Amino acid sequence: MTAGGPAAEPAVRTRGLTKRFRSGQVAVDHIDLVVPRGAVYGFLGPNGSGKTTTIRMLLGLVSPTAGSVELLGSSMPGGGPVVLPRVGALVEGPAFHPYLSARANLERLDAVDATASPQSRPGRIDAALERVGLTAAAAKKYRQYSLGMKQRLGLAAALLRPRDLLLLDEPTNGLDPQGTREVRALVRELADGGATVLVSSHLLSEIEQVCSHVGIMSRGELLAQGTRAEIAETGTTEVRVMTRPDQRAHVARVLTGLGLEDVRVDGEVVAAPLGGTAVEKVAQAVVGDGVDLLGLEVRRPTLEDVFVRLTGEGFDVDR
Amino acid sequence: MSIVDTPVPVAPAAPARATARLLRSELRLVFGRVRNLVLLAGLAAVPLLIGTVLFVTQSTPVAGQGPPFLDRVTGNGVFLVFAALVSCLPFLLPLCVAIVSGDAIAGEASTGTLRYLLVVPVPRTRLLLAKAVAALAFAGAAVVAIAVVGLAAGAAYFGVGDVVLLSGDTIPLAAGMLRTLGVVGYVIASLTGLVAVGLFLSTLTEVPVAAMASTVVVAIVSGVLDALPQLSAIHPGLLTHHWLDFGEFLRLEVDASTLLAGLAVQGAWVAIFGALAWSRFTTADVSS
Ligand SMILES: Nc1ncnc2c1ncn2[C@@H]1O[C@H](COP(=O)(O)OP(=O)(O)OP(=O)(O)O)[C@@H](O)[C@H]1O
Ligand SMILES: [Mg+2]
């Protein structure tokens, strides 16, 4: 709280962070994560790409084989006692005592927090339960909770106190569409309140809309990271030309003549990466060559294109 | 927008306060669990069972037959406490210690709650200490439950009076009660080594039943080794060797050195396994 200026220190920074498990597997491989203050950072990657292991290392649960971690300016795990009270976390799904009620579970978590005030506890617990929509089910035993209710309770635990940083590992796992939407709204609300949020997911579509920044993991490596726009720009902008079926080959020849590469017929359109070519030149050339131009579209790269290109489309877990 | 403008107030409670809160929470967890309460009730039922059998059959066991002290119960109900403790020490009390201490860390690991305790954050050393104290408190509660129920049942069935010591001397009931307290304290202290062993085993696994079972096995194997005369050289250092020395309290002149020897052995087991548990738990990856 002393450090100069919010821009000075990222909320999360790792340098060469690596985890090799005793099995010999390198789950996280020299990643340099930078989550700026105030960002909503989408931490994306297929199953088994190392997201949870990274989050465990950020929190000091797993010790890195190499590299360092800084959370809110303090180095971990040494700074844990000071910095972790300001961090809310959901790691690999919620976990509570099954035979205690939701409220009793939250009470326990708050009671063991040396920095939480016992006086404000009931109020904060009520507020947290309210925020995730569990007020009506607060007295139920955790064992009787449904998957989505458990997930909500995990979020409530992370929100027991005001936080500067939230590390949410797959927060939408098991939630219904309504719940997923609520989580997105919650993330937005937290960010608006000044918190930094890191949200991991293997489903891009679930969090894409709320992210200001994105990091893409695959096989333990951080393949790309930056603002959404920066990441999207690493994709390719395409021009797509619509014409009559009999003229498609003709259009393809024109595009190739303009110097465009990788020209292909994609369903009803002829598409090609635009490269440095201006789109009006394409339009002129096509029309000038006597083609009946039915439509012309410039498609900017989406995050999803980049994600799929970087992580592959395969369904199988890589290792 | 700036985090610097809206700091989360972090005012750590004094470590002693925080530890007390943690401990209270642990105690509530251990003593609030139905399984543990059933265990406690089961142990407390042992003196009741013994007393009832003796009362109903109206037979005074012959001295030297059955467990020590059994033959004196019908004469003075106080002895039901000692007879019950002797009956519980070989298996039931170790089982009780094993269930709670083996569950301490492994139970939290298996439910996944361990990772959330650590990110609260609860310092690992403090958590381990609180778990150890809570487990010991439960073992203590079990011993106290046996003593209290033993005394009550003994008084109800056979009445209590001046205590005839092993030496044949008689001391007033009040003095006898004081010695009973000593016995209870010594038996609780005798269980500390096993608590440490259980706690250590609990840091090794995410399967609580495995930690519990191996802790019971340690106690039983110790008893088996203690019965082999060929191993008499190592007997004094065995975890269970001095457990029945509480009889020392029932001599006219209590021999402190015998009792201290027993306590020293427990201290050594606590030191060794406490250190092992600590070094393991403070460095292990929590990947459950
Ligand atoms: N304790 C462990 N011991 C050995 N290997 C492990 C351990 N934990 C994780 N791994 C391995 O490390 C790799 C990364 O796992 P991790 O849980 O970090 O992936 P993830 O990105 O969170 O995946 P998901 O999207 O499925 O949650 C996996 O291949 C996994 O098998
Ligand atoms: Mg994961």
Side-chain angles (χ1 to χ4, degrees):
Chain A
M1 269 156 264
T2 44
E9 289 283 354
V12 179
R13 152 168 277 155
T14 73
R15 293 190 176 88
L17 192 63
T18 302
K19 182 65 188 183
R20 175 195 291 273
F21 280 109
R22 259 187 302 182
S23 59
Q25 172 164 16
V26 182
V28 177
D29 195 359
H30 290 93
I31 68 170
D32 300 310
L33 208 61
V34 179
V35 181
R37 297 250 176 172
V40 176
Y41 187 104
F43 194 37
L44 300 167
N47 291 138
S49 56
K51 305 180 296 292
T52 301
T53 305
T54 303
I55 291 176
R56 281 183 193 279
M57 286 193 283
L58 297 183
L59 292 166
L61 292 172
V62 161
S63 48
T65 312
S68 63
V69 174
E70 266 174 45
L71 276 197
L72 298 170
S74 301
S75 79
M76 289 292 291
V82 178
V83 82
L84 287 181
R86 298 162 61 199
V87 179
L90 196 60
V91 189
E92 190 125 280
F96 294 92
H97 291 287
Y99 48 88
L100 293 183
S101 72
R103 179 182 297 277
N105 268 298
L106 292 185
E107 274 166 359
R108 165 159 167 83
L109 278 179
D110 202 69
V112 302
D113 188 342
T115 61
S117 139
Q119 283 77 35
S120 62
R121 184 179 304 151
R124 285 183 290 112
I125 289 178
D126 284 340
L129 287 168
E130 171 86 52
R131 213 161 172 186
V132 298
L134 282 181
T135 306
K140 248 191 196 176
K141 293 252 190 302
Y142 181 68
R143 192 174 10 156
Q144 299 159 347
Y145 264 33
S146 72
L147 179 60
M149 289 162 82
K150 289 176 176 169
Q151 191 75 16
R152 286 163 189 252
L153 189 59
L155 282 167
L159 297 174
L160 266 181
R161 309 177 52 188
R163 311 283 194 186
D164 290 337
L165 173 65
L166 288 129
L167 302 177
L168 306 177
D169 191 13
E170 317 254 3
T172 54
N173 189 19
L175 291 183
D176 48 26
Q178 176 67 22
T180 306
R181 219 174 12 243
E182 281 166 21
V183 167
R184 276 197 294 260
L186 192 66
V187 167
R188 229 175 254 134
E189 189 186 312
L190 291 166
D192 289 344
T196 309
V197 189
L198 179 144
V199 195
S200 92
S201 181
H202 56 271
L203 285 178
L204 174 67
S205 57
E206 290 208 326
I207 55 170
E208 182 180 8
Q209 305 157 36
V210 289
C211 297
S212 63
H213 289 70
V214 174
I216 298 177
M217 290 284 288
S218 178
R219 303 171 194 223
E221 288 174 50
L222 186 62
L223 296 180
Q225 112 179 299
T227 64
R228 256 173 76 164
E230 282 166 3
I231 297 297
E233 271 165 23
T234 65
T236 45
T237 305
E238 263 190 356
V239 62
R240 299 164 72 80
V241 181
M242 272 144 274
T243 183
R244 269 196 277 281
D246 56 309
Q247 294 186 337
R248 282 183 194 144
H250 187 175
V251 169
R253 271 197 305 282
V254 174
L255 295 189
T256 311
L258 276 172
L260 298 187
E261 287 165 11
D262 298 331
V263 177
R264 65 187 201 282
V265 176
D266 181 6
E268 301 187 350
V269 302
V270 185
L274 200 47
T277 315
V279 67
E280 49 273 32
K281 265 184 73 180
V282 176
Q284 278 164 13
V286 171
V287 175
D289 219 45
V291 172
D292 296 326
L293 185 60
L294 301 182
L296 186 132
E297 181 197 8
V298 177
R299 229 190 72 182
R300 309 247 165 248
T302 63
L303 219 44
E304 179 147 14
D305 298 333
V306 178
F307 182 64
V308 169
R309 177 169 57 79
L310 288 177
T311 60
E313 293 192 62
F315 173 74
D316 292 333
V317 170
D318 287 324
R319 66 224 165 110
Chain B
M1 182 68 189
S2 151
I3 313 302
V4 185
D5 297 340
T6 58
V8 175
V10 173
R17 255 272 203 48
T19 308
R21 283 215 306 255
L22 173 62
L23 193 55
R24 203 174 321 136
S25 178
E26 286 302 328
L27 289 174
R28 195 172 292 164
L29 209 61
V30 168
F31 285 94
R33 187 154 180 187
V34 173
R35 177 197 70 192
N36 293 350
L37 293 179
V38 168
L39 202 61
L40 218 50
L43 276 163
V46 170
L48 201 59
L49 190 70
I50 297 176
T52 307
V53 168
L54 290 180
F55 183 74
V56 169
T57 58
Q58 288 291 340
S59 69
T60 300
V62 183
Q65 268 189 357
F69 307 115
L70 197 66
D71 54 319
R72 291 163 171 257
V73 172
T74 49
N76 186 347
V78 175
F79 279 89
L80 185 53
V81 175
F82 310 132
L85 283 175
V86 169
S87 310
C88 290
L89 268 171
F91 183 72
L92 286 179
L93 274 172
L95 179 72
C96 172
V97 168
I99 285 181
V100 177
S101 64
D103 198 35
I105 301 295
E108 299 269 9
S110 78
T111 54
T113 43
L114 181 57
R115 60 177 183 269
Y116 286 108
L117 282 179
L118 297 182
V119 305
V120 156
V122 180
R124 294 191 189 202
T125 304
R126 193 182 293 171
L127 181 61
L128 192 67
L129 265 176
K131 290 282 184 194
V133 173
L136 186 60
F138 186 75
V143 176
V144 169
I146 293 171
V148 168
V149 174
L151 200 58
Y157 284 139
F158 314 108
V160 289
D162 292 351
V163 177
V164 180
L165 297 175
L166 298 181
S167 48
D169 304 278
T170 305
I171 57 168
L173 180 59
M177 286 295 99
L178 215 58
R179 287 174 181 246
T180 308
L181 265 184
V183 168
V184 168
Y186 182 84
V187 171
I188 294 174
S190 297
L191 296 173
T192 52
L194 191 61
V195 169
V197 170
L199 210 59
F200 168 62
L201 294 172
S202 187
T203 63
L204 297 181
T205 170
E206 287 166 18
V207 186
V209 174
M212 296 175 195
S214 13
T215 308
V216 172
V217 167
V218 167
I220 288 176
V221 167
S222 174
V224 168
L225 296 183
D226 204 17
L228 294 180
Q230 290 83 351
L231 295 177
S232 59
I234 64 161
H235 283 172
L238 286 176
L239 187 59
T240 56
H241 182 69
H242 301 276
W243 278 9
L244 291 179
D245 287 357
F246 71 76
E248 202 52 44
F249 279 101
L250 299 178
R251 296 184 199 286
L252 187 60
E253 296 290 333
V254 176
D255 180 10
S257 68
T258 307
L259 296 174
L260 287 178
L263 296 181
V265 168
Q266 292 303 317
W269 281 80
V270 168
I272 293 169
F273 281 88
L276 285 174
W278 179 81
S279 67
R280 160 78 190 174
F281 185 56
T282 51
T283 54
D285 281 348
V286 174
S287 51
S288 59

